[in-house]
Amino acid sequence: NRVFRRRLTATVWGAWREAINVNQATAEGDIPYRGAADWARLAKGSDGQILKLVAGIPAWATESSRVLLATKAASASATLDFTEFNNATYTMYEFELFYVLPVTDNTNLLMRTSTDAGATYDAGASDYMFSVTTKGAGTEDDSYDSAGATAIGLAEGVGNAAGEKGVCGRIILFGAPSATRAVVRTELSSFRALDGFLDLIQGAGTRLADQDTTAVRFLMSSGNITSGTIRMYGVI
């Protein structure tokens, strides 16, 4: 199982060298490696896996990674919908918001979920529960919550006056792949319509039903979304 060779150069023998001698690969991408007493072959892994050592032996593993799935830019848009879900691959999803600005002053940013890839979005009177805490840059602190609502509230009282640039931040969606309650966790900032101060907004929300999530929709409680960008990432 082991093959050695030496090279003769100008009547001088070189050092012994061991050649790789391993069972024939059964698939393109298989990798030979040196085992404890002989050469061995590691069968190829799956797309997206990384090579790591387990007890000193090469092995394939799944890397925790974040993949950009979609980017949506608003332009007087009624909604921004994301249907680019792949629940067989991703365990959770992240949405990054960049200056999402409403047409209507002093309105709320909302989110809804879908279980039919966006053909419909749940909007019943008691479909969602959410709780949002706002810490203002001035003296204005606030809470925004509901035990039964038509959407998950993300940010309250968003302004659109000059210098008020809308909502920025991140939303994490848990539980999309499984038939359980989808939960969102938010950390956002927003310019308040009341006085133009910047708010720090933290919150959580859930769909009040055990079902998988295959699309989400962002919208304002009144009017369209003037401008801004939302990016969707899948996380393994």
Side-chain angles (χ1 to χ4, degrees):
N1 293 331
R2 302 172 69 186
V3 178
F4 296 87
R5 63 184 178 86
R6 297 177 73 181
R7 181 177 182 182
L8 180 64
T9 304
T11 72
V12 178
W13 285 102
W16 283 104
R17 296 185 179 182
E18 183 180 3
I20 296 177
N21 187 35
V22 65
N23 291 339
Q24 181 179 357
T26 58
E28 181 181 8
D30 288 357
I31 299 175
Y33 69 93
R34 185 66 167 82
D38 205 346
W39 287 94
R41 177 179 56 83
L42 175 65
K44 73 173 184 178
S46 302
D47 289 350
Q49 287 188 309
I50 61 170
L51 192 62
K52 64 183 296 186
L53 286 178
V54 178
I57 303 299
W60 295 108
T62 299
E63 181 183 25
S64 178
S65 61
R66 197 171 76 135
V67 179
L68 179 63
L69 300 179
T71 301
K72 307 291 175 73
S75 179
S77 306
T79 65
L80 290 180
D81 297 346
F82 290 84
T83 60
E84 295 80 5
F85 280 64
N86 183 351
N87 290 340
T89 299
Y90 303 108
T91 58
M92 69 181 190
Y93 299 88
E94 295 181 356
F95 299 87
E96 291 184 347
L97 284 65
F98 299 86
Y99 303 104
V100 178
L101 184 69
V103 168
T104 305
D105 192 37
N106 196 21
T107 190
N108 305 335
L109 178 62
L110 308 175
M111 177 180 177
R112 288 176 175 150
T113 65
S114 169
T115 190
D116 55 15
T120 60
Y121 289 87
D122 301 314
S126 298
D127 280 351
Y128 304 93
M129 177 189 299
F130 66 89
S131 178
V132 175
T133 300
T134 301
K135 175 65 177 176
T139 59
E140 189 72 23
D141 298 337
D142 192 20
S143 60
Y144 170 41
D145 57 78
S146 176
T150 61
I152 296 173
L154 302 175
E156 183 185 25
V158 182
N160 71 350
E164 297 173 354
K165 303 301 182 181
V167 182
C168 296
R170 177 175 294 176
I171 299 168
I172 304 174
L173 172 63
F174 301 92
S178 55
T180 187
R181 292 188 177 189
V183 174
V184 299
R185 180 74 172 87
T186 65
E187 185 164 338
L188 305 169
S189 64
S190 172
F191 290 88
R192 188 191 317 147
L194 178 65
D195 49 26
F197 286 176
L198 184 66
D199 285 337
L200 170 63
I201 305 167
Q202 294 184 320
T206 184
R207 171 71 174 94
L208 293 174
D210 289 340
Q211 60 188 42
D212 62 338
T213 301
T214 53
V216 299
R217 164 172 287 177
F218 295 93
L219 69 158
M220 296 295 177
S221 58
S222 177
N224 291 345
I225 305 172
T226 295
S227 57
T229 301
I230 301 179
R231 294 174 183 165
M232 175 185 180
Y233 295 85
V235 182
I236 297 174

